[in-house]
Coordinates of all heavy atoms in Angstrom, one line a residue:
M179 N -12.1 28.6 -33.0 CA -12.9 27.4 -32.7 C -12.7 27.0 -31.3 O -11.5 26.9 -30.8 CB -12.5 26.3 -33.7 CG -13.4 25.1 -33.6 SD -13.1 23.8 -34.8 CE -13.3 24.7 -36.3
A180 N -13.7 26.8 -30.5 CA -13.6 26.5 -29.1 C -13.1 25.1 -28.9 O -13.4 24.2 -29.6 CB -15.0 26.6 -28.4
D181 N -12.3 24.9 -27.8 CA -11.8 23.6 -27.5 C -12.6 23.1 -26.3 O -13.3 23.8 -25.6 CB -10.3 23.5 -27.3 CG -9.8 24.3 -26.1 OD1 -10.4 24.3 -25.0 OD2 -8.8 25.0 -26.2
I182 N -12.5 21.8 -26.1 CA -13.4 21.1 -25.1 C -13.1 21.5 -23.7 O -13.9 21.5 -22.8 CB -13.3 19.6 -25.3 CG1 -14.5 18.9 -24.6 CG2 -12.0 19.0 -24.8 CD1 -15.8 19.2 -25.2
S183 N -11.8 22.0 -23.4 CA -11.5 22.4 -22.1 C -12.3 23.6 -21.6 O -12.5 23.7 -20.3 CB -10.0 22.8 -22.0 OG -9.7 24.0 -22.7
Q184 N -12.9 24.3 -22.5 CA -13.8 25.4 -22.1 C -15.2 25.0 -21.7 O -16.0 25.7 -21.2 CB -13.9 26.4 -23.2 CG -12.5 27.0 -23.5 CD -12.5 27.8 -24.9 OE1 -13.4 27.6 -25.7 NE2 -11.5 28.7 -25.0
R185 N -15.5 23.7 -22.0 CA -16.9 23.2 -21.8 C -17.0 22.0 -20.8 O -18.1 21.5 -20.6 CB -17.4 22.7 -23.1 CG -17.3 23.8 -24.2 CD -18.5 24.1 -24.7 NE -18.3 25.1 -25.8 CZ -19.3 25.8 -26.3 NH1 -20.5 25.5 -25.9 NH2 -19.1 26.7 -27.2
I186 N -15.9 21.6 -20.2 CA -16.0 20.4 -19.4 C -16.3 20.7 -17.9 O -16.0 21.8 -17.4 CB -14.6 19.6 -19.5 CG1 -13.4 20.4 -19.0 CG2 -14.4 19.1 -20.9 CD1 -12.2 19.6 -18.9
E187 N -16.8 19.7 -17.2 CA -17.0 19.7 -15.8 C -15.7 19.4 -15.1 O -15.1 18.4 -15.4 CB -18.1 18.7 -15.4 CG -18.3 18.6 -13.9 CD -18.7 19.8 -13.2 OE1 -19.6 20.5 -13.8 OE2 -18.2 20.1 -12.2
R188 N -15.2 20.3 -14.3 CA -13.9 20.1 -13.6 C -14.0 19.2 -12.4 O -13.0 18.6 -12.0 CB -13.4 21.5 -13.2 CG -13.2 22.4 -14.3 CD -11.9 22.3 -15.0 NE -11.8 23.2 -16.1 CZ -11.1 23.0 -17.1 NH1 -10.4 22.0 -17.2 NH2 -11.0 23.9 -18.1
M189 N -15.1 19.1 -11.8 CA -15.3 18.3 -10.6 C -15.8 16.9 -11.0 O -17.0 16.7 -10.9 CB -16.2 19.0 -9.6 CG -15.7 20.3 -9.0 SD -14.2 20.1 -8.2 CE -14.6 19.1 -6.8
V190 N -15.0 16.1 -11.4 CA -15.3 14.7 -11.8 C -15.6 13.8 -10.6 O -14.9 13.8 -9.7 CB -14.2 14.1 -12.7 CG1 -14.5 12.7 -13.1 CG2 -13.9 15.0 -13.9
A191 N -16.7 13.1 -10.7 CA -17.1 12.1 -9.7 C -16.4 10.8 -10.0 O -16.4 10.3 -11.1 CB -18.6 12.0 -9.6
V192 N -15.8 10.3 -8.9 CA -15.0 9.0 -9.1 C -15.4 8.1 -8.0 O -15.6 8.4 -6.8 CB -13.5 9.4 -9.0 CG1 -12.6 8.1 -9.0 CG2 -13.0 10.4 -10.0
L193 N -15.6 6.8 -8.4 CA -15.8 5.7 -7.4 C -15.0 4.5 -7.7 O -14.7 4.3 -8.9 CB -17.3 5.3 -7.5 CG -18.3 6.2 -6.8 CD1 -19.7 5.7 -7.1 CD2 -18.1 6.3 -5.3
D194 N -14.6 3.8 -6.7 CA -13.9 2.5 -6.9 C -14.7 1.5 -7.6 O -16.0 1.4 -7.3 CB -13.4 2.0 -5.5 CG -12.5 0.8 -5.7 OD1 -11.3 1.0 -5.9 OD2 -13.1 -0.3 -5.5
E195 N -14.1 0.6 -8.3 CA -14.8 -0.4 -9.1 C -15.6 -1.4 -8.2 O -16.5 -2.1 -8.7 CB -13.8 -1.2 -10.0 CG -12.8 -1.9 -9.3 CD -11.8 -2.6 -10.2 OE1 -12.0 -2.7 -11.4 OE2 -10.7 -3.0 -9.7
N196 N -15.2 -1.5 -6.9 CA -15.9 -2.4 -6.0 C -17.1 -1.8 -5.3 O -17.8 -2.4 -4.6 CB -14.9 -2.9 -5.0 CG -13.9 -3.9 -5.6 OD1 -14.3 -4.8 -6.3 ND2 -12.6 -3.6 -5.4
K197 N -17.4 -0.5 -5.6 CA -18.6 0.2 -5.1 C -19.8 -0.4 -5.9 O -19.6 -1.0 -6.9 CB -18.5 1.7 -5.2 CG -17.5 2.3 -4.3 CD -17.9 2.2 -2.9 CE -17.0 3.0 -2.0 NZ -17.4 3.0 -0.6
T198 N -21.0 -0.1 -5.4 CA -22.1 -0.7 -6.0 C -22.8 0.3 -6.9 O -22.6 1.5 -6.8 CB -23.2 -1.2 -5.0 OG1 -23.7 0.0 -4.2 CG2 -22.6 -2.2 -4.0
A199 N -23.7 -0.2 -7.7 CA -24.6 0.7 -8.6 C -25.4 1.6 -7.7 O -25.6 2.8 -8.1 CB -25.4 -0.2 -9.5
L200 N -25.8 1.2 -6.6 CA -26.5 2.1 -5.7 C -25.7 3.2 -5.2 O -26.1 4.4 -5.1 CB -27.1 1.3 -4.5 CG -27.9 2.1 -3.5 CD1 -29.1 2.7 -4.1 CD2 -28.4 1.1 -2.3
D201 N -24.4 2.9 -4.8 CA -23.5 4.0 -4.5 C -23.4 5.0 -5.6 O -23.4 6.2 -5.3 CB -22.1 3.4 -4.1 CG -22.0 2.5 -2.9 OD1 -22.8 2.7 -2.0 OD2 -21.3 1.5 -3.0
A202 N -23.2 4.5 -6.8 CA -23.1 5.4 -7.9 C -24.4 6.3 -8.1 O -24.3 7.5 -8.4 CB -22.8 4.6 -9.2
A203 N -25.5 5.6 -8.0 CA -26.8 6.3 -8.2 C -27.0 7.4 -7.1 O -27.4 8.5 -7.5 CB -28.0 5.3 -8.1
R204 N -26.6 7.1 -5.9 CA -26.7 8.1 -4.9 C -25.8 9.3 -5.1 O -26.1 10.5 -5.0 CB -26.4 7.5 -3.5 CG -27.5 6.6 -3.0 CD -27.2 6.0 -1.7 NE -28.3 5.3 -1.2 CZ -28.3 4.3 -0.3 NH1 -27.1 3.8 0.1 NH2 -29.4 3.7 0.1
L205 N -24.5 9.0 -5.5 CA -23.6 10.1 -5.8 C -24.0 10.9 -7.0 O -24.0 12.2 -7.0 CB -22.2 9.5 -6.1 CG -21.1 10.5 -6.4 CD1 -20.9 11.4 -5.2 CD2 -19.8 9.7 -6.7
M206 N -24.5 10.3 -8.1 CA -25.0 11.0 -9.2 C -26.2 11.9 -8.8 O -26.3 13.1 -9.3 CB -25.4 10.1 -10.4 CG -24.2 9.4 -11.0 SD -24.5 8.5 -12.5 CE -25.3 7.0 -11.8
S207 N -27.1 11.4 -8.0 CA -28.3 12.1 -7.5 C -27.8 13.3 -6.7 O -28.3 14.5 -6.9 CB -29.2 11.2 -6.7 OG -30.3 12.0 -6.3
E208 N -26.9 13.1 -5.8 CA -26.4 14.2 -4.9 C -25.8 15.3 -5.7 O -25.9 16.5 -5.3 CB -25.4 13.7 -3.9 CG -26.0 12.8 -2.8 CD -24.9 12.0 -2.0 OE1 -23.7 12.3 -2.2 OE2 -25.3 11.2 -1.2
R209 N -25.0 15.0 -6.7 CA -24.3 16.0 -7.5 C -25.0 16.5 -8.7 O -24.4 17.3 -9.5 CB -22.9 15.4 -7.8 CG -22.0 15.2 -6.6 CD -20.6 15.1 -7.0 NE -19.8 14.7 -5.8 CZ -18.5 14.4 -5.9 NH1 -17.9 14.4 -7.1 NH2 -17.8 14.2 -4.9
F210 N -26.2 15.9 -9.0 CA -26.9 16.3 -10.2 C -26.1 16.1 -11.5 O -26.0 16.9 -12.3 CB -27.4 17.8 -10.1 CG -28.2 18.1 -9.0 CD1 -27.7 18.7 -7.8 CD2 -29.6 17.7 -8.9 CE1 -28.4 19.0 -6.7 CE2 -30.3 18.0 -7.8 CZ -29.8 18.6 -6.7
I211 N -25.5 14.9 -11.6 CA -24.7 14.5 -12.7 C -25.2 13.2 -13.3 O -26.0 12.5 -12.7 CB -23.2 14.4 -12.3 CG1 -23.0 13.3 -11.2 CG2 -22.6 15.7 -11.9 CD1 -21.6 13.1 -10.8
G212 N -24.7 12.8 -14.5 CA -25.2 11.6 -15.1 C -24.2 10.5 -15.3 O -24.5 9.5 -15.9
S213 N -23.0 10.7 -14.7 CA -22.0 9.6 -14.8 C -20.9 9.7 -13.7 O -20.7 10.8 -13.1 CB -21.3 9.7 -16.2 OG -20.6 10.9 -16.3
V214 N -20.3 8.6 -13.5 CA -19.1 8.6 -12.6 C -18.0 7.8 -13.3 O -18.2 6.9 -14.0 CB -19.4 8.0 -11.2 CG1 -20.4 8.8 -10.4 CG2 -19.8 6.5 -11.3
V215 N -16.8 8.3 -13.0 CA -15.6 7.6 -13.5 C -15.3 6.5 -12.5 O -15.3 6.7 -11.3 CB -14.4 8.6 -13.7 CG1 -13.1 7.8 -14.1 CG2 -14.7 9.6 -14.7
V216 N -15.0 5.3 -13.0 CA -14.7 4.1 -12.2 C -13.2 3.9 -12.2 O -12.6 3.8 -13.3 CB -15.5 2.9 -12.7 CG1 -15.3 1.7 -11.8 CG2 -17.0 3.2 -12.7
T217 N -12.7 3.7 -11.0 CA -11.2 3.5 -10.9 C -11.0 2.2 -10.1 O -11.8 1.7 -9.4 CB -10.5 4.6 -10.2 OG1 -11.1 4.8 -8.8 CG2 -10.7 5.9 -10.9
G218 N -9.8 1.7 -10.3 CA -9.3 0.5 -9.5 C -7.8 0.5 -9.7 O -7.2 0.8 -10.8
S219 N -7.1 0.1 -8.6 CA -5.6 0.1 -8.6 C -5.0 1.4 -9.2 O -4.1 1.3 -10.0 CB -5.1 -1.1 -9.5 OG -5.7 -2.3 -9.0
A220 N -5.6 2.5 -8.8 CA -5.1 3.8 -9.1 C -5.2 4.2 -10.6 O -4.4 5.0 -11.1 CB -3.7 4.0 -8.6
T221 N -6.0 3.5 -11.4 CA -6.2 3.8 -12.8 C -7.7 3.8 -13.1 O -8.5 3.2 -12.5 CB -5.5 2.7 -13.7 OG1 -6.1 1.4 -13.5 CG2 -4.0 2.6 -13.4
V222 N -7.9 4.5 -14.2 CA -9.3 4.6 -14.7 C -9.7 3.3 -15.4 O -8.9 2.8 -16.2 CB -9.5 5.7 -15.7 CG1 -10.9 5.7 -16.3 CG2 -9.3 7.1 -15.0
K223 N -10.8 2.7 -14.9 CA -11.2 1.4 -15.4 C -12.4 1.5 -16.4 O -12.6 0.6 -17.2 CB -11.6 0.4 -14.3 CG -10.4 0.1 -13.3 CD -9.4 -0.8 -14.0 CE -8.4 -1.2 -13.0 NZ -7.5 -2.2 -13.5
G224 N -13.2 2.5 -16.2 CA -14.4 2.6 -17.0 C -15.2 3.8 -16.6 O -14.8 4.7 -15.8
I225 N -16.5 3.8 -17.1 CA -17.4 4.9 -16.7 C -18.8 4.2 -16.5 O -19.1 3.2 -17.1 CB -17.5 5.9 -17.9 CG1 -18.4 7.1 -17.4 CG2 -18.0 5.3 -19.1 CD1 -18.3 8.3 -18.4
F226 N -19.5 4.7 -15.5 CA -20.8 4.2 -15.2 C -21.8 5.4 -15.3 O -21.6 6.4 -14.7 CB -20.9 3.6 -13.8 CG -22.2 3.0 -13.4 CD1 -22.5 1.7 -13.8 CD2 -23.1 3.6 -12.6 CE1 -23.7 1.1 -13.5 CE2 -24.3 3.0 -12.3 CZ -24.6 1.8 -12.7
T227 N -22.9 5.2 -16.1 CA -23.8 6.3 -16.4 C -25.2 5.9 -15.9 O -25.5 4.8 -15.6 CB -23.8 6.6 -17.9 OG1 -24.4 5.4 -18.6 CG2 -22.4 6.8 -18.5
E228 N -26.1 6.9 -15.9 CA -27.5 6.7 -15.6 C -28.1 5.7 -16.6 O -28.8 4.8 -16.1 CB -28.3 8.0 -15.8 CG -27.9 9.0 -14.7 CD -28.6 10.4 -15.0 OE1 -28.6 10.8 -16.2 OE2 -29.1 11.0 -14.1
R229 N -27.7 5.7 -17.8 CA -28.2 4.7 -18.8 C -27.7 3.3 -18.4 O -28.5 2.4 -18.6 CB -27.7 5.1 -20.2 CG -28.1 4.1 -21.2 CD -27.9 4.7 -22.6 NE -29.2 5.1 -23.0 CZ -29.5 5.7 -24.1 NH1 -28.6 6.1 -24.9 NH2 -30.7 6.0 -24.4
D230 N -26.4 3.2 -18.0 CA -26.0 1.9 -17.5 C -26.8 1.4 -16.3 O -27.1 0.2 -16.3 CB -24.5 1.9 -17.2 CG -23.6 2.3 -18.3 OD1 -23.9 1.9 -19.5 OD2 -22.6 3.0 -18.1
L231 N -27.1 2.3 -15.4 CA -27.9 1.9 -14.3 C -29.2 1.3 -14.7 O -29.7 0.3 -14.3 CB -28.1 3.1 -13.4 CG -29.0 2.9 -12.2 CD1 -28.4 1.9 -11.2 CD2 -29.3 4.3 -11.5
M232 N -29.9 2.0 -15.7 CA -31.2 1.6 -16.1 C -31.1 0.3 -16.9 O -31.9 -0.6 -16.7 CB -31.8 2.7 -17.0 CG -32.1 4.0 -16.2 SD -33.0 3.7 -14.6 CE -34.6 3.1 -15.2
K233 N -30.2 0.2 -17.9 CA -30.1 -1.0 -18.8 C -29.5 -2.2 -18.1 O -29.9 -3.3 -18.3 CB -29.4 -0.6 -20.1 CG -30.2 0.4 -20.9 CD -29.5 0.7 -22.2 CE -29.7 -0.4 -23.2 NZ -29.2 -0.1 -24.5
Q234 N -28.3 -2.0 -17.5 CA -27.5 -3.1 -17.0 C -28.0 -3.6 -15.6 O -27.7 -4.7 -15.3 CB -26.0 -2.7 -16.9 CG -25.4 -2.2 -18.2 CD -25.3 -3.3 -19.2 OE1 -25.2 -4.4 -18.9 NE2 -25.5 -2.9 -20.4
V235 N -28.7 -2.7 -14.9 CA -29.1 -3.1 -13.5 C -30.6 -3.2 -13.4 O -31.1 -4.3 -13.2 CB -28.5 -2.1 -12.5 CG1 -28.8 -2.6 -11.1 CG2 -26.9 -2.1 -12.6
I236 N -31.3 -2.1 -13.4 CA -32.7 -2.0 -13.2 C -33.5 -2.9 -14.2 O -34.3 -3.8 -13.8 CB -33.2 -0.6 -13.2 CG1 -32.5 0.3 -12.2 CG2 -34.7 -0.5 -12.9 CD1 -32.5 -0.1 -10.7
A237 N -33.3 -2.6 -15.5 CA -34.1 -3.4 -16.5 C -33.8 -4.9 -16.5 O -34.6 -5.7 -16.9 CB -33.9 -2.8 -17.9
A238 N -32.6 -5.2 -16.0 CA -32.2 -6.6 -15.9 C -32.7 -7.3 -14.6 O -32.4 -8.5 -14.4 CB -30.6 -6.7 -16.0
G239 N -33.4 -6.5 -13.8 CA -34.0 -7.1 -12.6 C -32.9 -7.3 -11.5 O -33.2 -8.1 -10.6
L240 N -31.8 -6.7 -11.5 CA -30.8 -6.8 -10.5 C -30.9 -5.8 -9.4 O -31.5 -4.8 -9.6 CB -29.4 -6.7 -11.2 CG -29.1 -7.7 -12.3 CD1 -27.8 -7.4 -13.0 CD2 -29.2 -9.1 -11.9
D241 N -30.3 -6.1 -8.3 CA -30.4 -5.3 -7.1 C -29.2 -4.3 -7.1 O -28.1 -4.7 -7.1 CB -30.3 -6.1 -5.8 CG -30.4 -5.3 -4.6 OD1 -30.5 -4.1 -4.6 OD2 -30.3 -6.0 -3.5
P242 N -29.5 -3.0 -7.3 CA -28.4 -2.0 -7.3 C -27.5 -2.0 -6.1 O -26.4 -1.6 -6.2 CB -29.1 -0.7 -7.5 CG -30.6 -1.0 -7.6 CD -30.8 -2.4 -7.4
A243 N -28.0 -2.5 -5.0 CA -27.2 -2.5 -3.8 C -26.2 -3.6 -3.8 O -25.3 -3.6 -3.0 CB -28.1 -2.7 -2.5
T244 N -26.3 -4.6 -4.7 CA -25.4 -5.7 -4.7 C -24.5 -5.8 -6.0 O -23.5 -6.4 -6.0 CB -26.1 -7.1 -4.6 OG1 -27.0 -7.2 -5.7 CG2 -26.8 -7.1 -3.2
V245 N -24.9 -5.1 -7.0 CA -24.2 -5.1 -8.3 C -23.0 -4.1 -8.2 O -23.1 -2.9 -7.9 CB -25.1 -4.6 -9.5 CG1 -24.3 -4.5 -10.8 CG2 -26.3 -5.6 -9.7
K246 N -21.8 -4.7 -8.4 CA -20.6 -3.9 -8.4 C -20.4 -3.1 -9.7 O -20.8 -3.6 -10.7 CB -19.4 -4.8 -8.2 CG -19.4 -5.7 -6.9 CD -19.1 -4.9 -5.7 CE -19.0 -5.8 -4.5 NZ -19.1 -5.1 -3.3
L247 N -19.8 -2.0 -9.6 CA -19.5 -1.2 -10.7 C -18.7 -1.9 -11.7 O -18.9 -1.8 -13.0 CB -18.9 0.2 -10.4 CG -19.8 1.1 -9.6 CD1 -19.0 2.4 -9.2 CD2 -21.1 1.4 -10.3
K248 N -17.7 -2.7 -11.3 CA -16.8 -3.4 -12.2 C -17.6 -4.4 -13.0 O -17.1 -4.8 -14.1 CB -15.7 -4.1 -11.4 CG -16.1 -5.2 -10.5 CD -14.9 -5.8 -9.7 CE -15.3 -6.8 -8.7 NZ -14.2 -7.2 -7.9
D249 N -18.8 -4.8 -12.6 CA -19.6 -5.8 -13.4 C -20.7 -5.1 -14.2 O -21.3 -5.8 -15.0 CB -20.3 -6.7 -12.4 CG -19.3 -7.5 -11.6 OD1 -18.2 -7.9 -12.1 OD2 -19.6 -7.8 -10.4
S250 N -20.8 -3.8 -14.1 CA -21.8 -3.1 -14.9 C -21.4 -1.8 -15.6 O -22.2 -1.2 -16.3 CB -23.0 -2.8 -14.0 OG -22.6 -2.0 -12.9
M251 N -20.1 -1.5 -15.4 CA -19.6 -0.2 -16.1 C -19.3 -0.5 -17.5 O -19.2 -1.6 -18.0 CB -18.3 0.2 -15.3 CG -17.2 -0.7 -15.5 SD -15.8 -0.1 -14.6 CE -14.6 -1.4 -15.0
R252 N -19.1 0.6 -18.2 CA -18.7 0.6 -19.6 C -17.1 0.7 -19.6 O -16.6 1.6 -19.1 CB -19.3 1.7 -20.4 CG -19.0 1.7 -21.8 CD -19.8 2.8 -22.5 NE -21.2 2.7 -22.0 CZ -22.3 2.9 -22.7 NH1 -22.2 3.2 -23.9 NH2 -23.5 2.8 -22.1
R253 N -16.5 -0.3 -20.2 CA -15.0 -0.4 -20.2 C -14.4 0.3 -21.5 O -13.3 0.8 -21.4 CB -14.5 -1.8 -20.2 CG -14.9 -2.5 -18.9 CD -14.4 -3.9 -18.8 NE -15.0 -4.6 -17.7 CZ -14.5 -4.6 -16.5 NH1 -13.4 -3.9 -16.2 NH2 -15.1 -5.2 -15.5
S254 N -15.2 0.4 -22.5 CA -14.7 1.0 -23.7 C -14.9 2.5 -23.6 O -16.0 3.0 -23.6 CB -15.4 0.5 -25.0 OG -16.8 0.7 -24.9
L255 N -13.8 3.2 -23.4 CA -13.8 4.7 -23.1 C -13.4 5.5 -24.4 O -12.5 5.0 -25.1 CB -12.9 5.0 -22.0 CG -13.1 4.3 -20.7 CD1 -12.0 4.6 -19.7 CD2 -14.5 4.8 -20.1
V256 N -14.1 6.6 -24.5 CA -13.7 7.5 -25.6 C -13.0 8.7 -24.9 O -13.7 9.3 -24.0 CB -14.9 8.0 -26.4 CG1 -14.5 8.9 -27.5 CG2 -15.7 6.8 -27.0
T257 N -11.8 8.9 -25.2 CA -11.0 9.9 -24.5 C -10.5 11.0 -25.5 O -10.3 10.6 -26.7 CB -9.8 9.4 -23.8 OG1 -8.9 8.7 -24.7 CG2 -10.3 8.3 -22.7
V258 N -10.3 12.2 -25.0 CA -9.8 13.3 -25.9 C -8.8 14.1 -25.0 O -9.0 14.1 -23.8 CB -10.9 14.2 -26.4 CG1 -11.8 13.4 -27.4 CG2 -11.7 14.8 -25.3
P259 N -7.9 14.8 -25.7 CA -7.1 15.8 -24.9 C -7.9 17.1 -24.7 O -8.9 17.3 -25.4 CB -5.9 16.0 -25.9 CG -6.5 15.8 -27.2 CD -7.5 14.7 -27.1
P260 N -7.5 17.9 -23.7 CA -8.2 19.1 -23.4 C -8.3 20.1 -24.5 O -9.2 20.9 -24.5 CB -7.4 19.7 -22.2 CG -6.5 18.7 -21.7 CD -6.3 17.7 -22.8
D261 N -7.3 20.1 -25.4 CA -7.4 21.0 -26.5 C -8.1 20.5 -27.8 O -8.1 21.2 -28.8 CB -5.9 21.4 -26.9 CG -5.1 20.3 -27.4 OD1 -5.5 19.1 -27.2 OD2 -4.0 20.6 -27.9
E262 N -8.8 19.4 -27.7 CA -9.6 18.9 -28.8 C -10.7 19.9 -29.1 O -11.4 20.4 -28.1 CB -10.1 17.5 -28.5 CG -10.8 16.9 -29.7 CD -9.9 16.6 -30.8 OE1 -9.1 15.6 -30.7 OE2 -9.9 17.3 -31.8
N263 N -11.0 20.1 -30.4 CA -12.1 21.1 -30.7 C -13.5 20.4 -30.4 O -13.6 19.2 -30.5 CB -12.0 21.7 -32.0 CG -12.3 20.7 -33.2 OD1 -13.3 20.2 -33.3 ND2 -11.3 20.5 -34.0
V264 N -14.4 21.2 -30.1 CA -15.8 20.7 -29.8 C -16.4 19.9 -30.9 O -17.0 18.9 -30.7 CB -16.7 21.9 -29.3 CG1 -18.1 21.5 -29.1 CG2 -16.1 22.6 -28.1
E265 N -16.2 20.4 -32.1 CA -16.8 19.7 -33.3 C -16.3 18.3 -33.4 O -17.0 17.3 -33.6 CB -16.6 20.5 -34.6 CG -17.4 21.8 -34.7 CD -16.8 22.9 -33.9 OE1 -15.7 22.8 -33.4 OE2 -17.5 23.9 -33.7
R266 N -15.0 18.1 -33.2 CA -14.4 16.8 -33.2 C -14.9 15.9 -32.1 O -15.2 14.7 -32.3 CB -12.9 16.9 -33.2 CG -12.2 15.5 -33.1 CD -12.3 14.7 -34.4 NE -11.6 13.5 -34.3 CZ -12.0 12.3 -34.7 NH1 -13.1 12.2 -35.4 NH2 -11.3 11.2 -34.5
C267 N -15.1 16.5 -30.9 CA -15.7 15.7 -29.8 C -17.1 15.2 -30.1 O -17.4 14.1 -29.9 CB -15.7 16.6 -28.5 SG -14.1 16.9 -27.9
L268 N -17.9 16.1 -30.7 CA -19.3 15.7 -31.1 C -19.2 14.6 -32.1 O -20.0 13.7 -32.1 CB -20.0 16.9 -31.6 CG -20.4 18.0 -30.6 CD1 -21.0 19.2 -31.2 CD2 -21.3 17.4 -29.5
E269 N -18.3 14.7 -33.1 CA -18.1 13.7 -34.1 C -17.8 12.3 -33.4 O -18.3 11.3 -33.8 CB -17.1 14.1 -35.1 CG -16.8 13.1 -36.2 CD -15.7 13.7 -37.1 OE1 -15.7 14.8 -37.5 OE2 -14.7 12.9 -37.4
L270 N -16.8 12.3 -32.5 CA -16.4 11.1 -31.8 C -17.6 10.5 -31.0 O -17.8 9.3 -31.0 CB -15.3 11.4 -30.8 CG -13.9 11.6 -31.5 CD1 -12.9 12.1 -30.5 CD2 -13.4 10.3 -32.1
M271 N -18.4 11.3 -30.4 CA -19.5 10.9 -29.6 C -20.6 10.2 -30.5 O -21.1 9.1 -30.2 CB -20.2 12.0 -28.8 CG -19.3 12.5 -27.7 SD -19.9 14.0 -27.0 CE -21.2 13.4 -26.0
K272 N -20.8 10.8 -31.7 CA -21.7 10.2 -32.7 C -21.2 8.9 -33.2 O -21.9 7.9 -33.2 CB -21.9 11.2 -33.8 CG -23.0 10.7 -34.8 CD -23.3 11.8 -35.8 CE -24.3 11.3 -36.8 NZ -24.6 12.3 -37.8
Q273 N -19.9 8.8 -33.6 CA -19.3 7.6 -34.1 C -19.3 6.5 -33.1 O -19.5 5.3 -33.5 CB -17.8 7.9 -34.5 CG -17.6 8.7 -35.7 CD -16.1 9.0 -35.9 OE1 -15.3 8.7 -35.1 NE2 -15.9 9.6 -37.1
N274 N -19.1 6.8 -31.8 CA -19.0 5.8 -30.8 C -20.4 5.6 -30.0 O -20.4 4.8 -29.1 CB -17.9 6.1 -29.8 CG -16.6 6.0 -30.4 OD1 -16.0 4.9 -30.5 ND2 -16.0 7.1 -30.9
Q275 N -21.4 6.3 -30.5 CA -22.7 6.2 -29.9 C -22.6 6.3 -28.4 O -23.1 5.5 -27.6 CB -23.4 4.9 -30.3 CG -23.6 4.8 -31.8 CD -24.3 3.5 -32.2 OE1 -24.5 2.6 -31.4 NE2 -24.6 3.4 -33.5
C276 N -22.0 7.4 -27.9 CA -21.9 7.6 -26.5 C -22.2 9.1 -26.1 O -22.3 9.9 -27.0 CB -20.4 7.3 -26.0 SG -19.2 8.5 -26.6
R277 N -22.5 9.3 -24.9 CA -23.0 10.6 -24.4 C -21.9 11.3 -23.5 O -22.1 12.4 -23.1 CB -24.3 10.5 -23.6 CG -25.4 10.0 -24.5 CD -26.6 9.9 -23.6 NE -27.7 9.4 -24.4 CZ -29.0 9.4 -24.1 NH1 -29.3 9.8 -22.9 NH2 -29.9 8.9 -24.8
H278 N -20.8 10.6 -23.3 CA -19.8 11.1 -22.4 C -18.4 10.8 -22.9 O -18.1 9.7 -23.5 CB -19.9 10.4 -21.0 CG -21.2 10.5 -20.3 ND1 -21.6 11.6 -19.6 CD2 -22.3 9.7 -20.4 CE1 -22.8 11.4 -19.1 NE2 -23.3 10.3 -19.6
L279 N -17.6 11.8 -22.8 CA -16.1 11.7 -23.2 C -15.3 11.9 -21.9 O -15.7 12.7 -21.1 CB -15.8 12.8 -24.2 CG -16.4 12.8 -25.6 CD1 -15.9 14.0 -26.4 CD2 -16.1 11.5 -26.3
L280 N -14.2 11.2 -21.9 CA -13.2 11.5 -20.8 C -12.1 12.4 -21.4 O -11.6 12.1 -22.4 CB -12.7 10.2 -20.2 CG -13.7 9.4 -19.5 CD1 -13.0 8.1 -18.9 CD2 -14.4 10.1 -18.4
V281 N -11.9 13.5 -20.7 CA -10.8 14.4 -21.1 C -9.6 14.2 -20.3 O -9.7 14.3 -19.0 CB -11.3 15.9 -21.0 CG1 -10.2 16.9 -21.4 CG2 -12.6 16.1 -21.8
F282 N -8.5 13.8 -20.9 CA -7.2 13.5 -20.2 C -6.1 14.4 -20.7 O -5.9 14.6 -21.9 CB -6.8 12.1 -20.4 CG -7.5 11.0 -19.7 CD1 -8.5 10.2 -20.3 CD2 -7.3 10.9 -18.3 CE1 -9.2 9.3 -19.5 CE2 -8.0 9.9 -17.6 CZ -8.9 9.1 -18.2
E283 N -5.3 14.9 -19.7 CA -4.1 15.6 -20.0 C -3.1 14.6 -20.6 O -3.1 13.5 -20.2 CB -3.5 16.3 -18.8 CG -4.3 17.4 -18.2 CD -4.1 18.7 -18.9 OE1 -3.2 18.8 -19.7 OE2 -4.9 19.6 -18.6
G284 N -2.3 15.1 -21.5 CA -1.3 14.2 -22.1 C -1.8 13.1 -23.0 O -1.1 12.3 -23.4
K285 N -3.1 13.2 -23.4 CA -3.7 12.2 -24.3 C -3.3 12.5 -25.7 O -3.4 13.6 -26.1 CB -5.2 12.1 -24.1 CG -5.9 11.3 -25.1 CD -5.8 9.8 -24.8 CE -6.7 9.1 -25.8 NZ -6.1 8.3 -26.7

């Protein structure tokens, strides 16, 4: 059975929580990705996705150039260790109604 480490993107995009939704949108567009990991004080604080951009910023009528990631990111993270099997990861994504998992060593 395959583990998730064989299927993950190794080049994770990271932005500070004080960056804007526009900064995140540009980075996601440049790298052809759908999410960025949000950090602050040297720790992971959340995740910001294309869906968050659309629902939390654009559909709410807010200006992406002024909305900080810390105010629009998803704080509830679903994490797994690199050796988690793919089927379990899919199950966690379904249970948590999310499209992204964070894979952490030592988790």
